[in-house]
Amino acid sequence: MGAVPSTPRHTSTTIETAEYLIGSFVGKKSFPLASDFWQKLLELPLTLGWAPHRVRQACQLFAQNNRHTRHLAKILIHLSWCLQEAIQTSGAPSPVYMKAVNAVYISSVFLKYIIENSQSETIEDLCLSLNENEPVPKDFVADQSIENLVMHNVLTFIGSIDVSPTTSLLHQELLNFMLVGMSTQLLSGPSPGPKDVNPFIDAAMSQESLLVSLVVRRLLLNYIMRPHVPSSSAASYSIFSEESQPGVLQRVGSAAATIVLLPFNYWVSSNGEGSRNQLADCSLRVLLILIHYHKCVVSDESITDRSDDSAASDSVSKVNTYFTVNPYSKALENARDIEFDRLDVEGNAQNGPVMRLPFASLFDTLGMCLADETAVLLLYSLVQGNSDFLEYVLVRTDLDTLLMPILETLYNASRRTSNQIYMLLIILLILSQDSSFNASVHKMILPGVPWYKEHLLHQTSLGSLMVIILIRTVQYNLSKLRDVYLHTTCLATLANMAPHVHRLSAYASQRLVSLFYMLSRKYNKLVELRDDKLQTKAISTGDGLVEDMSAELQIYTDFLRIVLEILNAILTYALPRNPEVVYAIMHRQEVFQPFKNHPRFTELLENIYNVLDFFNSRMDAQRLDGEWSVEKVLLFIINNCRSWRGEGMKMFTQLHFSYEQESHPEEFFIPYVWQLVLSRCGFSFNASAINLFPVDLQADKQIYYGGEPTTNQNGELNEHEVQLDP
């Protein structure tokens, strides 16, 4: 550990010294804060191997003795001092970097073990304070918050010191330390409560807004620039060491699973996920945890409810709670483009310091990495929370940079999590709320779409591809997920796009009419099932099933109406520009016949039949030598579109759907973020200690959470809703 030769030779004296120092650190004897023991410990090159069982014993001993020795608090204080000294050197090479790296690594090892094995809901085993009789240096404030001290210095280093070959390793370990410290969230339930104990992330939330902005900017720049940790520094350090050459504490990760260690396959790049970069990816994980954290606190005001059931009734106090403002989320909302200073035309005052970022580089980086779910969540957080970034995306002329990876991921929905699918669909819905976006996507022509296998897509517009993929997602949802809100989001996006459709391709037009047919089949099946149940209701013990079917039938009635409104919008506002849509409706006009007299659809279908009558009558009146071919029918439609005046068409208010985040998004996002973090960073954690989301306890209790995250009970897709904007 630290700056040592890759193949060191250790004398028996060195081995004995290492054994003594580590043994003393985890032992019963308490070393004063000012003891030279700490300097010796932090300056020791920890490259000596311990057997796995000894590492486990060391962690257990430390947890037992820490209440008396307060060695965790003391090494965190020394970490803070090392960081303060490192900050003063402004990134210049210094021996203090080795000490800081060792301090943060040792702290992470034992901090994580205590967190995941804590027997108290308040994590009292951390003992983040010094004993009252502890001698301290004159310039040290004895009663200060140690978690605030260490987090202030960790964040100050991250935010103010540039990543360089000299500092990159310390940057990486500080991010790992933050993941460890913030993992206390895993011990709490999915709904944040006032009794949750998260000392390190709460300390991060209490920092000044200027420092918060610097940290958010640094984390995003790390993600954009993807700095490389030099192999010369990495070779001797635990995270990069081979298992055949473990250090004293390097075995902790593989043996007792108490440190953030990167799995070997972390370096294997996946197609479409961009270039894997350790510091960049870890920066993104830390950022996602920070911006989606919600701290629940008790309000000073309480409500007293007096019951009249008895004369001597007691007053029952109802606790009011609220969520504090998240400064990291606010900093992300206030981010502005470094190259373009847009005037705030709405006159809104900025809440906090403005953070400048290269939006162009961020846009391109996201485009390269959107196959990774964490990148999708970052893009969602930006377009949902930062109006400037959303506007920047909407005015880009190369929208395919973002849209093609999104559409390809949706095309491969069966290999993705339901949460990822929903995040992508919400992003599309947010983008479709802008009319210029809906117009732009139809102007961009794609020479080909090689990953689409069902049909050859040649010279297809990006807008047509969006329609095809959204309809395909509905079809997939009908057969697999069967999630109502996913249907709603897809249809809402199509409805927003409909009035702006321009030269929709033949295949997209066919799929649009087929969408109505698919939903109508589901509708008809529900009608049959409901009628069958109604006939047998007399012998039934309850009618709950019938009520459920009626509710589902109402949902699919709404879906069919939305599809009819989509078709109406195209025919009303864009018929001359979309002859292929007219052809598709004429070709499959029989699918509308069964619903012609349905009270919810009558007016909408009148418009469709008005169009059909217009073209059918002219086709019947035209004499033709031979049969009507596809080409001849299409040419006939194109020619007659010129004489279309829309006579007899009823004008309906254009549907416009907008996305609004659920009132309690934290119940979805906090578990979701941690599932993503655990599935990607090699962060092994005691499964029986996790309360944030359901875990399969049949698996090994000490898990490496390496699979895809599952949908948790409070993170169902219905935590989001699509609302109609009147």
PDB file of all heavy atoms in Angstrom, residues 31 210 280 334 358 511:
ATOM      1  N   PHE A  31      -4.461   4.353  21.963  1.00  0.00           N
ATOM      2  CA  PHE A  31      -3.338   5.253  21.716  1.00  0.00           C
ATOM      3  C   PHE A  31      -3.856   6.678  21.604  1.00  0.00           C
ATOM      4  O   PHE A  31      -4.811   6.937  20.856  1.00  0.00           O
ATOM      5  CB  PHE A  31      -2.604   4.856  20.439  1.00  0.00           C
ATOM      6  CG  PHE A  31      -1.790   3.604  20.585  1.00  0.00           C
ATOM      7  CD1 PHE A  31      -2.367   2.357  20.378  1.00  0.00           C
ATOM      8  CD2 PHE A  31      -0.455   3.662  20.955  1.00  0.00           C
ATOM      9  CE1 PHE A  31      -1.626   1.200  20.524  1.00  0.00           C
ATOM     10  CE2 PHE A  31       0.296   2.509  21.097  1.00  0.00           C
ATOM     11  CZ  PHE A  31      -0.289   1.268  20.884  1.00  0.00           C
ATOM     12  N   LEU A 210     -21.111  26.576  -1.778  1.00  0.00           N
ATOM     13  CA  LEU A 210     -19.996  26.747  -2.707  1.00  0.00           C
ATOM     14  C   LEU A 210     -19.171  25.468  -2.806  1.00  0.00           C
ATOM     15  O   LEU A 210     -18.799  25.038  -3.908  1.00  0.00           O
ATOM     16  CB  LEU A 210     -19.106  27.910  -2.273  1.00  0.00           C
ATOM     17  CG  LEU A 210     -17.910  28.214  -3.194  1.00  0.00           C
ATOM     18  CD1 LEU A 210     -18.393  28.532  -4.609  1.00  0.00           C
ATOM     19  CD2 LEU A 210     -17.082  29.373  -2.634  1.00  0.00           C
ATOM     20  N   ALA A 280     -14.065   7.606 -13.231  1.00  0.00           N
ATOM     21  CA  ALA A 280     -15.272   8.218 -13.799  1.00  0.00           C
ATOM     22  C   ALA A 280     -16.527   7.518 -13.292  1.00  0.00           C
ATOM     23  O   ALA A 280     -17.496   8.174 -12.870  1.00  0.00           O
ATOM     24  CB  ALA A 280     -15.215   8.161 -15.320  1.00  0.00           C
ATOM     25  N   ASN A 334     -28.718  23.900 -10.859  1.00  0.00           N
ATOM     26  CA  ASN A 334     -28.169  25.216 -11.185  1.00  0.00           C
ATOM     27  C   ASN A 334     -27.008  25.165 -12.170  1.00  0.00           C
ATOM     28  O   ASN A 334     -26.434  26.213 -12.496  1.00  0.00           O
ATOM     29  CB  ASN A 334     -27.704  25.923  -9.904  1.00  0.00           C
ATOM     30  CG  ASN A 334     -28.870  26.364  -9.038  1.00  0.00           C
ATOM     31  OD1 ASN A 334     -29.982  26.521  -9.521  1.00  0.00           O
ATOM     32  ND2 ASN A 334     -28.624  26.548  -7.761  1.00  0.00           N
ATOM     33  N   PRO A 358     -19.128  21.918 -19.182  1.00  0.00           N
ATOM     34  CA  PRO A 358     -19.134  21.814 -20.647  1.00  0.00           C
ATOM     35  C   PRO A 358     -20.275  20.901 -21.105  1.00  0.00           C
ATOM     36  O   PRO A 358     -20.117  19.685 -21.187  1.00  0.00           O
ATOM     37  CB  PRO A 358     -17.758  21.210 -20.958  1.00  0.00           C
ATOM     38  CG  PRO A 358     -17.394  20.428 -19.735  1.00  0.00           C
ATOM     39  CD  PRO A 358     -18.016  21.146 -18.575  1.00  0.00           C
ATOM     40  N   ARG A 511     -47.291  -0.173 -38.283  1.00  0.00           N
ATOM     41  CA  ARG A 511     -47.207  -0.540 -36.872  1.00  0.00           C
ATOM     42  C   ARG A 511     -48.185   0.291 -36.035  1.00  0.00           C
ATOM     43  O   ARG A 511     -48.730  -0.193 -35.041  1.00  0.00           O
ATOM     44  CB  ARG A 511     -45.784  -0.331 -36.343  1.00  0.00           C
ATOM     45  CG  ARG A 511     -44.707  -1.142 -37.038  1.00  0.00           C
ATOM     46  CD  ARG A 511     -45.027  -2.623 -37.035  1.00  0.00           C
ATOM     47  NE  ARG A 511     -45.159  -3.133 -35.678  1.00  0.00           N
ATOM     48  CZ  ARG A 511     -45.913  -4.167 -35.344  1.00  0.00           C
ATOM     49  NH1 ARG A 511     -46.635  -4.798 -36.264  1.00  0.00           N
ATOM     50  NH2 ARG A 511     -45.976  -4.573 -34.085  1.00  0.00           N
TER      51      ARG A 511
END
